Amino acid sequence: MNGSDKKTDLFDKDEFKEIVAYMEKTDLEFVEFEREGRKISFRRAMAAIPASRASQAASARPEGERRDEEEPSGPEAFSIRSPIVGRFHSSMGPDRPPLVVDGGLVTAGQKVAIVEAMKIKKEVFSAVTGRVLEILARDGEAVEYGQELFRVQPEQEPAQEG
Amino acid sequence: MFKKVLIANRGEIAVRVIRACKELGLETVAVHSEADRNCLHARLADRSICIGPGPAPDSYLNIPSIISACEITGVDAVHPGYGFLSESEDFAEICEAHGLAFIGPSKESIQKMGHKIEAKKIAREAGIELIPGSNGVVSADDPELPKIARKIGYPVIVKACGGGGGKGMRIVTREEALLEMVRLASNEAKLAFGDPGVYLEKFFEEPKHVEIQILADRSGKVVYLPERDCSVQRRYQKLIEETPSPAVGPKLRKKLGKAARRVAQEVGYQTVGTVEFLLDKDGQFYFMEMNTRIQVEHPITEVLCGIDLVKWQIRLAAGEKLDFDEDDVRVNGHAMECRVNAEDPDHDFVPCPGRIEELVLPGGPGVRVDTHIYSGYTIPSFYDSLLAKVIVGHQDRDTAIARMRRALGEFSIEGIKTTIPFHQKVLEHSAFRYGDVTTNFVAKHVFGGEI
């Protein structure tokens, strides 16, 4: 390349500020830009999305969205629920491995799924550390707000020594 | 015609729209909040999607959630009902941007008629008489304000530009109170609508509220239907509506209808809408506002005229043409509606959510009930208190009143307080039976201790 490029940064300061301000104003968690072959991404520091316990008894569910809401398996199994309406994705991309496996371990704050709506991917996190008892949504399935995605058996804290 | 419709609403109107869709052979998708999991509209639809927690801003007003629900269910049209997003030009625009038909008028019509002052300008262009007013926003800081009010003539009323329902309204009878009232109204308006703009209007002591239902297709054809009289109100909320109005004869009916048509044509309005007028004691009418949605009280027009307004609304949105004129409409006697709310009329109409222990709905000839309630249903606290609309039709006003009294007498709702006893008292009141009802009726006779 001949000559000097006046804009050596990927963004100028004002654009940068605008993006950050926009993310703060909305609830976007992750934004990636690509410009002239270079990428920059912005990620919000996320707390685990709070998920409610699977303590609800099976309630009368409307037709068409009927799902077997059994009693929680084992003492106090933890439900991870969809935070939005959208499509459930079990991995970060079509060729990527699933984020969570049946019987596998998850830690608090770990990303467990993506729910996508209107081209925006919302990451779902586990609020607890434990073992995955059940994966309740299929990859590509439409899910509603609050729909149970995973059931996790939270790990007991080991007794303190001494 | 559409294939699949998402109903972006709840309660009785969602049930109403689902019924119309089913009869048109369309698939239906209901959306509901977590608080509405057991709601009738969610049960009746072919499919239902939970879109958020109870509070309306997180669910029924949550545009991204609703649009996502449209996406995952593959609908091609959205019906917004009334209230909620039905008059949101943002929602109409976003639907359009996502390739979804919004079952209502264009976003431009919504925008123009949604702003009170803009709507009045349009009515004036259409040659309709306006209520004498400030013709624009007023401010307590404007030194000309007392002069403006004097020109209109006391008493004046301060009203909010951004919305109605009694919020941001104050009556001013003397000049001394003017500035204070304008400030109070403006603050209230800002809280309620996000817009502190207020304007002045002449205040009428004994007005009637009369409105005209219109239907409009894409060719610009507009048909008007006989007027509805909605004068029985409490704090600007309608309680009883009837059609035709006891105060309107054939000549005035034509004038009102043609005026409504001109307003609709002025904005190129499509589908269904209602133009509201104030009628003074001399039979003079003034434009108040236009509602760019299906209204709560639409059933009385349906019963009177034998026309399914919600089906027409959907058909018109799908591009069908009107196949009738005013002269083709057979008016059948008199029709009336009572809005039964979960409120305690003995304690200032305080809302009473709770569980319906036992329910007996009225029935029999000429009685229609539009409702979402059922025995065992728990009324959530997040939304309005409308339980049911009882609609009757009969050959004239007197027999319609008698039929309504009979129907309300059968209506039994155990477990919560309702406004049924209040409606019964109104229907028995001599002034109501005489037809002498203005928008002061409730205030006058309730405070007068007669009801």
Side-chain angles (χ1 to χ4, degrees), chain B residues 13-72:
Chain B
I13 193 61
V15 171
R16 175 74 187 91
V17 173
I18 290 169
R19 285 175 170 155
C21 289
K22 283 183 189 258
E23 289 187 1
L24 288 169
L26 312 179
E27 283 180 69
T28 52
V29 176
V31 295
H32 66 89
S33 68
E34 285 187 314
D36 271 343
R37 218 171 260 291
N38 294 314
C39 204
L40 184 61
H41 74 282
R43 295 185 180 192
L44 290 179
D46 297 313
R47 198 160 165 200
S48 72
I49 304 282
C50 180
I51 52 168
D58 302 319
S59 50
Y60 298 103
L61 295 171
N62 185 342
I63 295 179
S65 203
I66 292 170
I67 299 293
S68 299
C70 290
E71 259 191 9
I72 64 172

Side-chain angles (χ1 to χ4, degrees), chain A residues 75-76 129-130 153-159:
Chain A
E76 294 189 52
T129 294
Q153 181 65 59
E155 209 135 85
Q156 300 295 340
E157 287 288 317

Side-chain angles (χ1 to χ4, degrees), chain B residues 24 26 52 84 100 237 293 319 321 335 385-386 420 424 445:
Chain B
L24 288 169
L26 312 179
F84 290 132
L100 300 163
Q237 303 292 314
R293 58 173 197 267
K321 298 287 178 5
S385 57
L386 180 62
I420 293 171
Q424 288 284 36
H445 297 290

Side-chain angles (χ1 to χ4, degrees), chain B residues 157-178:
Chain B
I157 181 167
V158 191
K159 281 178 160 182
C161 302
K167 295 244 160 98
M169 279 190 188
R170 289 292 188 285
I171 296 166
V172 189
T173 50
R174 311 163 296 124
E175 191 167 302
E176 294 77 50
L178 181 64

